[in-house]
Every structure is written in C-alpha cells, then in structure tokens.
Amino acid sequence: MAYNWNWGVFLQPTATGDDSTYLDWMFHGLQMTIGLSLSAWLIALLLGAVVGVLRTVPNRWLSGVATAYVEFFRNIPLLVQLFLWYFVMPELLPENLGNAFKQTNPIVQQFLSSMICLALFTSARVAEQVRSGINSLPPGQKNAGLALGFTLSQTYRHVMLPMAVRLIVPPLTSEFLNIFKNSAVCSTIGLLELAAQGRQLVDYTAQPYESFIAVTVAYLLLNVVVMSGMRWVEAHVRVPGYIGGK
Amino acid sequence: MHEFDWSSIPNALPFLWDGMLISLEITLSAVVFGIVWGTLLALMRLSSITPLSWFAAGYVNLFRAVPLVMVLLWFFLIVPHLLESLFGLPRGTDMRLTSAIAGFALFEAAYYSEIIRAGIQSVPKGQMAAASALGMTYGQAMRLVVLPQAFRNMVPLLLTQGIILFQDTSLVYVSALADFFGAAYKVGDRDGRLVELLLFAGAVYFVLCFAASRVVRHYQNKMKTA
Amino acid sequence: MISMNKVSKHYGSFQVLADCTTQVQKGEVIVVCGPSGSGKSTLIKCVNGLEPFQSGEIIVNGVSVGDPKTNLSKLRSTVGMVFQNFELFPHMRIIDNLAIAQVKVLGRNPEQAREKGFKLLDRVGLRVQAEKYPGQLSGGQQQRVAIARALSMDPICMLFDEPTSALDPEMINEVLDVMTELAQEGMTMMCVTHEMGFARRVAHRVIFMDQGRIVEDDSKEAFFGNPRSERAQQFLAKILHH
Ligand SMILES: Nc1ncnc2c1ncn2[C@@H]1O[C@H](COP(=O)(O)OP(=O)(O)O)[C@@H](O)[C@H]1O
Ligand SMILES: [Mg+2]
C-alpha cells in the first residue's frame, strides 16, 4: 500500500495535450485567485468605507439602510450568495441584460459573478470594521472638527476617517487574507482558481498528496505576502507619537 | 423576466428538513469537538513546553491560512482512502458525513483556539497567582479558576463562531452531501426550479442566522449591564 | 456678544439645563464653575451648537443658534473652542493642525494659512514644534497649540471647557498664562474652569452652576466676597482648601 511520491509530475505535460505542464495549471490557478481577490478587494474597500460611514451618521434612514446591507450580507452563507449571483441574478435581470450576460464567455460569467459576490460579501465585513474604527475615536474629535467650522462631511474627511483608517489596518489585514481564502469557494461554479486547479491535478495525475501540498504551500505563500504587505502599510501610516485610541 | 413557480417547495419540505438536520448535526458536532480540541490547542500554545506550543502554533497557522472549502475537499478525497487502508473498511463505505464532520472540527478548532487563547489571556494574571497561593496546582487553577472565567467572557464570540460555522456547513456541497443547501440545490436542479429553491434557501439561512445573532447580541448586552 | 435666554435641555426625563439665562458682553471674561455633572460643558457647547437644546434662545453676535435656518458651520468658524482633552488631530503635523480649517473652512490660501499658523505658534512659544505631531508634545504644549488653532480662525469669542483639568500640575500655568494674555488683550471669553486664581486675576464675572441651573451670576468681587447660595459657599470652601 506504499504511496509512490512523484514530485516530477508537475513538470510533465498535461494529459489534455495543450502544450502546458501541470505546473502551468497551478500558475494559472494562482493568477486567477490573485486577480479575483484583488479586484474584489478594491470594490469591497470602497463599498465598505461608504457603508461603514453611513452606519455612523446621525440620520436614522441612512444608518438603517446601511445596517440592513450589513445584516443581509453577513447572514447568508457565501456559497449561497455565490449561487444567487451566478444562477439567479441573470434570471431576475431584464430579459435583454440577462441574455447578454448568458451569451458572454463562460469564464467571464464565472469571474464577474465571483467578483461581485466576494466584493459585496467582504464589503459588509469591511463596513463593520470601518464603523468600529470610527466609534473607537475619542468623541471629542468630532466636536473639535465641528467647532472649527467644518461641516459634518468635512469632519469625516479631514478628521475622523484618516484616523479611523489607521486604526483598522490590523483587522482589515485579516479580511484581506479572508478574501483570498474565500475565493476558493468560487471553484464550485467552475472557476478555475487555485483550489480548483489542485483538484483537477488529482483527477489527471492520481498524485493527490503532491497536489494537496503544492496548493497548501501556494496559499501559505499568499498569506505571507499579504501579511508583509499590510505590515508595510501599517508602518507607513503610523502616526509619530500616537499611542492607542483614547 | 423570470416567471416564479414555488410549487416544488411544499412537496420537498421533508427532504429539505432532513437536509437541515444534517447541517445541524455537522454544526453541533464540529462546535463541540472544535471547542474541546481548540481548548487543548490554546493550552498547548500558552504552555511553557516549547514543542507543544510550537505544534499548536503551527497547526493553528496552517489551518488559518488555507480555505475551508479546500480542506473539506481533501478530507472528502483522502480520508476514505486513509480509513480503508488503515482499518480495512470495505471500499465504497459512505464516509462523507464522517469526513465532513472531521474536516470541519479540525478546521474550526484552529479558529476556536484563537478565541479561547485570547479569552484565557484576558483573565487577569492575579487570578492565577491567587489560585496558586491557595495551593492549587497549575491544572487545578486553570480548570477551576481561569477557564471558567475565560469561557464566561467568550460565550458570545464562541456562539458567533458557531453561527459562522453553521453558514459554512453549506460548503459540504463539494462532497455532494445532502445538507440543507445541498438538498435545496438538488430539488431545484431536478425540477428546473433552481431560482426559487436558491432564493428559498437564502431566505431560510438569513432568518435563522439573523435571529441567532440577535439572541447572541441580546445576551452580550445583558452581560455588559450585569 | 452672547446672550442666553431661558435655555433648557433634557435627556429623556433628566434635566441637564434648566432655564439658563445670562449675557456675555464684548470683551468680557466669564468663568463658569460648579460641581461635576452640573451641566457646565453642556452649557458652553450649546453656545456653538455642538449640543442641541429643546427650549429657550441663544444669540451669538446677532445669530440665533437654535434656529434651524442658521448655518451652524459658519457660526462655529467664528467661535473658537478649546477642549479638556485638547483634541488636536493626531495624524497632522502641528502646523497643519493650525492651517487645515483656515484653508478648508475660510478658503484662505495654504501659504497664508501656514504663515498665520507660524505666527500664532510663535505667540504661544511653540514655533520650533511646528513640524512635529501632536503625540510628540506634552499635554501643556498640546493645549497651547489647541488655543493657537482656535485663534487661527480669528474668532470673535472663545469658549474653554476645563482647558487645564487634564494637565499635570506643572503644565497648568503655561496654559493659564496664554489664556490670561488673551483676556488682557480684550478677547471675549467664556471659560469653564476650577482655577480660581485665574478667575480672580482676569474674570469679570463668575457663573456658578448646580444641577443644570445657574445659581449665581455675579461680578467677580461679589462672588468671591460673599456668594449668596449655600452650595456656592460649600463649593468655594472645598476648592480653596485644596
Ligand atoms: N448623552 C447623554 N445622555 C444622558 N445624560 C447625559 C449625556 N451627556 C451628559 N449627560 C448628563 O448631563 C449632565 C451634565 O453633564 P456635563 O455638562 O458634562 O457636566 P459638567 O461639564 O458640569 O461636569 C451630567 O449629569 C451627565 O451625566
Ligand atoms: Mg465637563
């Protein structure tokens, strides 16, 4: 029952005869994972910042809408959300739009659904961080801004947000890591990202352990890169002499 | 625009209910096992025995770096092989539920252990000192003094993690197991009513998780004022 | 300059301010004191509309604060305020703390704003700290910067909310000195403070508050000579015995 280790398998040409090696497959998967995660992350940051700010404004309607947004995306499983975007959304769009979507390249369909899904899912979490960052500022900061004659939106822009953003870099790091991991869920609609390529490798090569280890190492590397990147950001935005929130 | 037809849902309710039971079974087993194993990991991580604390740190960091869906997939692919060769189980024994539960539990334990570690560290150091001064051993002090306080503070976080875990059980879809989501998908696929069934599943998850998170928040507020 | 007429405010059934009436003339320095929780902060925050109030009227330089049509931002840009915890903006250099509102609110050009900032820093003796961040300054220095920041807007009057009570004792005087100088130059000031020495030196009038009410509103001489209410007498006795 001994298992035959064969690390050379990655350099073999694939069984599909398309002139690529299994290592190429892994790289394509990695590229997809990175492209998807980064694009979704950018959208999530923007949306999350807006929704998070709205949750703290003194207008019950706006903050109510923002709260509903967050609750919606937090209480439905990611996989269900993904299927809703991929299978249900095109049916609910106006007919011509829905059809246009269904006629695009399947990879584009998968990518768009995945990106929107991850972006909105993550934006709700980013919004929570933004809100708690704003709420953890000393309450006098807002008054100090207003007392100088800033409008409420100027106070947010020049006084509260710059500090809140700095405070939430560490928790955002963890959300950033999550988006890479969550992108693996998109393999379920056929998107060939890293985890899916790993699975394909098992099917084609019958070397499950090598593929498993290779994919795991790739995710570990992504983690390390993201963490060092965010640590750099953290050091870069650190305010001299500033310790703690209050 | 899509013409809605919800008629396949009423007949499918018993099947969906069975699926919900599977989801809950996975959630509960994984929560219980995850907390037990997570506590052990946290204690190892905080212990002064270097190999143990390294093992725990490695375990936690590894599992926290990889996607859950990948772990589940691998458990689904590898665990049956492993058990067959280890215990000589007949080929084709349905191991999906067992391997799903094992995958979840081992994965979630890494997350639980971080919550529990923070909880233990939030208990003032003086408590440990006071317990030792009374003549308790390290184990007694941990078990009788520190852990009870740590867990009381952690209950909301542990419950919230439980809600996340419940949502994540939908990922057993990758092993074609008929949990609630898998069941809904199957019915929708069979009847050509995927849109309705997916919307229904989303609504059910939302209602359950929203209600549960409200209960947790209520408990949290009560704890704060108490 | 500032006139309050029967101002009342409550949170639910809790009365924070009850029928507060007083006037501050141009060039006058008023000290507001009273036990903690008596509504002093709330009262002066009502003056620039940081706290809304339910009834009564406040007129600042001819503008009604409570009127929903009033442009509060514009009003506030003419009223300087100094807080107990300084509230400098921690992510900006000292000079930017002084310049930002001049540029964004008053529309001054950045060069002029910085120049004015430097002048005011000179005045509070902190020119050399201009390029530092607030966290790198001592509490007393931060509070002097905060005063300079308020002055950079060329305010018509200044509000102080316990400007020295978060400071270590050895730093209190450097801040009081700046305030004293300001008072002697004729700035209209409303100061919540328990520094009775400061009050004796520069105040024209002293207001004593208790449980949301203005209990005493007297000239400095009358207040220190012989406060009428028992609460104020007790309060003074306690403070003076420190
Ligand atoms: N947001 C609030 N809700 C309820 N009560 C408040 C609130 N803010 C202040 N108070 C109460 O109003 C009273 C006056 O507060 P404040 O003006 O800060 O007093 P002072 O500055 O004289 O110490 C206090 O008793 C305080 O507890
Ligand atoms: Mg006060």
Side-chain angles (χ1 to χ4, degrees):
Chain A
M1 281 281 10
Y3 180 79
N4 287 319
W5 290 93
N6 174 16
W7 287 98
V9 69
F10 289 107
L11 298 177
Q12 288 168 15
T14 63
T16 50
D18 60 355
D19 237 21
S20 53
T21 63
Y22 289 115
L23 193 62
D24 292 333
W25 280 13
M26 294 278 301
F27 271 116
H28 289 151
L30 188 62
Q31 268 171 11
M32 183 60 96
T33 291
I34 293 174
L36 174 62
S37 306
L38 286 184
S39 49
W41 179 242
L42 284 183
I43 304 173
L45 278 184
L46 287 176
L47 271 176
V50 173
V51 175
V53 166
L54 287 184
R55 283 202 76 180
T56 66
V57 298
N59 176 315
R60 286 185 38 201
W61 280 101
L62 288 177
S63 67
V65 168
T67 305
Y69 178 96
V70 170
E71 292 294 346
F72 182 83
F73 288 105
R74 278 215 305 189
N75 285 305
I76 298 178
L78 178 59
L79 179 67
V80 180
Q81 291 188 30
L82 179 64
F83 278 34
L84 288 174
W85 287 112
Y86 186 65
F87 292 113
V88 176
M89 204 55 193
E91 303 297 334
L92 301 186
L93 287 172
E95 198 137 356
N96 46 357
L97 253 174
N99 284 337
F101 179 78
K102 286 182 236 173
Q103 273 150 21
T104 56
N105 182 333
I107 297 178
V108 174
Q109 290 182 37
Q110 291 160 359
F111 187 87
L112 277 181
S113 306
S114 301
M115 185 181 75
I116 296 174
C117 171
L118 283 176
L120 297 193
F121 181 85
T122 308
S123 71
R125 275 139 236 266
V126 172
E128 277 304 274
Q129 301 298 351
V130 170
R131 177 181 73 109
S132 78
I134 292 174
N135 285 342
S136 69
L137 296 175
Q141 286 281 302
K142 180 174 164 188
N143 275 339
L146 293 174
L148 281 173
F150 284 135
T151 60
L152 186 61
S153 67
Q154 280 179 318
T155 306
Y156 269 94
R157 212 170 85 221
H158 300 301
V159 178
M160 295 159 78
L161 280 177
M163 274 320 285
V165 164
R166 289 170 164 87
L167 293 180
I168 64 174
V169 174
L172 280 187
T173 304
S174 125
E175 292 306 334
F176 196 12
L177 292 171
N178 281 340
I179 210 168
F180 283 93
K181 290 182 271 173
N182 285 335
S183 69
V185 169
C186 303
S187 59
T188 55
I189 59 169
L191 191 79
L192 281 177
E193 44 64 70
L194 191 53
Q197 293 286 16
R199 168 153 207 188
Q200 247 199 158
L201 238 69
V202 180
D203 293 341
Y204 279 82
T205 65
Q207 298 288 147
Y209 294 105
E210 288 86 341
S211 333
F212 176 57
I213 292 170
V215 174
T216 303
V217 168
Y219 277 112
L220 282 173
L221 281 179
L222 276 178
N223 254 271
V224 171
V225 171
V226 169
M227 270 201 263
S228 358
M230 290 300 273
R231 216 162 279 153
W232 180 85
V233 171
E234 208 179 323
H236 212 73
V237 299
R238 183 170 296 141
V239 177
Y242 185 79
I243 348 147
K246 301 202 174 190
Chain B
M1 247 332 236
H2 184 79
E3 298 275 338
F4 286 101
D5 173 2
W6 301 94
S7 62
S8 52
I9 293 180
N11 285 331
L13 282 180
F15 183 60
L16 292 171
W17 174 244
D18 289 344
M20 184 54 83
L21 289 181
I22 292 187
S23 297
L24 292 174
E25 186 184 345
I26 298 176
T27 307
L28 272 184
S29 338
V31 166
V32 171
F33 185 84
I35 289 182
V36 172
W37 180 217
T39 308
L40 291 176
L41 283 168
L43 290 176
M44 285 191 234
R45 182 108 192 234
L46 293 173
S47 91
S48 47
I49 307 167
T50 317
L52 281 185
S53 97
W54 282 18
F55 166 78
Y59 180 100
V60 169
N61 288 333
L62 179 68
F63 271 100
R64 282 163 57 92
V66 295
L68 173 59
V69 69
M70 191 186 94
V71 172
L72 291 177
L73 192 61
W74 289 95
F75 267 78
F76 166 58
L77 293 176
I78 291 174
V79 168
H81 276 291
L82 217 62
L83 292 180
E84 273 162 28
S85 50
L86 282 180
F87 301 113
L89 287 177
R91 250 182 191 280
T93 317
D94 190 356
M95 299 292 305
R96 286 180 306 178
L97 187 60
T98 320
S99 44
I101 291 178
F104 269 110
L106 293 177
F107 182 86
E108 293 293 335
Y111 287 81
Y112 276 120
S113 109
E114 286 294 278
I115 297 176
I116 294 165
R117 181 166 70 112
I120 293 176
Q121 285 174 326
S122 76
V123 177
K125 285 245 180 343
Q127 291 290 308
M128 191 55 147
S132 313
L134 287 172
M136 292 190 196
T137 62
Y138 178 84
Q140 283 174 321
M142 221 11 143
R143 201 157 34 88
L144 301 173
V145 178
V146 176
L147 283 180
Q149 297 184 55
F151 272 100
R152 177 125 30 90
N153 300 337
M154 285 177 318
V155 168
L157 280 178
L158 294 176
L159 290 175
T160 303
Q161 187 65 26
I163 298 173
I164 296 174
L165 179 52
F166 174 66
Q167 292 190 21
D168 285 345
T169 55
S170 58
L171 293 174
V172 297
Y173 170 85
V174 296
S175 58
L177 202 63
D179 73 315
F180 176 68
F181 180 69
Y185 185 85
K186 276 182 187 161
V187 172
D189 202 32
R190 181 196 66 193
D191 297 351
R193 287 287 153 209
L194 202 50
V195 171
E196 288 81 354
L197 266 293
L198 286 175
L199 286 171
F200 177 71
V204 170
Y205 275 112
F206 179 81
V207 169
L208 289 179
C209 297
F210 182 72
S213 63
R214 275 292 140 117
V215 172
V216 174
R217 198 170 312 163
H218 179 76
Y219 177 84
Q220 216 167 3
N221 290 338
K222 235 170 67 184
M223 237 172 52
K224 251 184 230 147
T225 54
Chain C
M1 174 77 54
I2 303 171
S3 102
M4 295 194 177
N5 194 5
K6 288 188 179 299
V7 174
S8 297
K9 174 183 175 75
H10 45 84
Y11 292 111
S13 64
F14 180 72
Q15 191 89 23
V16 197
L17 296 178
D19 282 339
C20 295
T21 301
T22 191
Q23 263 85 34
V24 184
Q25 308 303 328
K26 190 166 184 325
E28 224 179 357
V29 177
I30 309 287
V31 162
V32 181
C33 59
S36 158
S38 56
K40 308 177 297 292
S41 299
T42 311
L43 185 78
I44 71 163
K45 281 182 187 154
C46 284
V47 173
N48 63 352
L50 284 179
E51 292 273 2
F53 48 91
Q54 279 99 4
S55 67
E57 188 186 44
I58 301 180
I59 311 279
V60 175
N61 202 26
V63 180
S64 167
V65 179
D67 187 341
K69 289 195 291 286
T70 297
N71 180 343
L72 275 181
S73 301
K74 191 161 170 214
L75 172 75
R76 287 172 185 145
S77 70
T78 64
V79 177
M81 184 159 194
V82 175
F83 298 83
Q84 183 172 353
N85 294 310
F86 332 136
E87 307 299 352
L88 296 179
F89 306 137
H91 58 292
M92 294 178 200
R93 292 174 193 278
I94 298 301
I95 185 65
D96 296 324
N97 260 280
L98 272 81
I100 177 124
Q102 297 183 59
V103 175
K104 301 290 175 184
V105 177
L106 302 180
R108 292 184 182 152
N109 89 36
E111 266 320 301
Q112 279 176 346
R114 284 173 68 87
E115 206 150 299
K116 176 150 191 121
F118 282 124
K119 262 195 209 121
L120 284 162
L121 281 178
D122 244 345
R123 174 164 173 190
V124 298
L126 292 170
R127 172 109 188 204
V128 289
Q129 315 283 6
E131 299 297 331
K132 288 199 178 155
Y133 286 87
Q136 297 170 310
L137 267 54
S138 73
Q141 292 174 325
Q142 289 191 49
Q143 194 63 298
R144 280 144 66 198
V145 172
I147 295 173
R149 178 175 73 179
L151 292 175
S152 74
M153 305 293 284
D154 295 321
I156 54 170
C157 63
M158 292 276 288
L159 308 173
F160 294 82
D161 189 1
E162 304 205 27
T164 55
S165 55
L167 294 176
D168 294 335
E170 73 270 18
M171 296 175 182
I172 290 180
N173 279 330
E174 58 186 82
V175 172
L176 290 180
D177 288 348
V178 173
M179 290 171 63
T180 304
E181 200 176 304
L182 205 55
Q184 284 161 352
E185 283 166 17
M187 175 62 81
T188 311
M189 293 164 63
M190 198 167 170
C191 314
V192 175
T193 181
H194 291 161
E195 294 298 331
M196 289 301 135
F198 171 78
R200 280 177 191 278
R201 269 201 312 281
V202 298
H204 299 106
R205 273 188 11 246
V206 178
I207 289 178
F208 177 77
M209 288 188 74
D210 189 28
Q211 298 182 349
R213 289 182 185 278
I214 294 183
V215 184
E216 304 252 350
D217 185 348
D218 272 333
S219 71
K220 166 176 68 178
E221 292 75 18
F223 182 79
F224 286 115
N226 155 38
R228 273 160 294 189
S229 75
E230 200 153 314
R231 284 289 289 158
Q233 285 171 11
Q234 284 169 5
F235 178 78
L236 269 183
K238 238 193 245 161
I239 291 243
L240 294 180
H241 287 149
H242 260 284

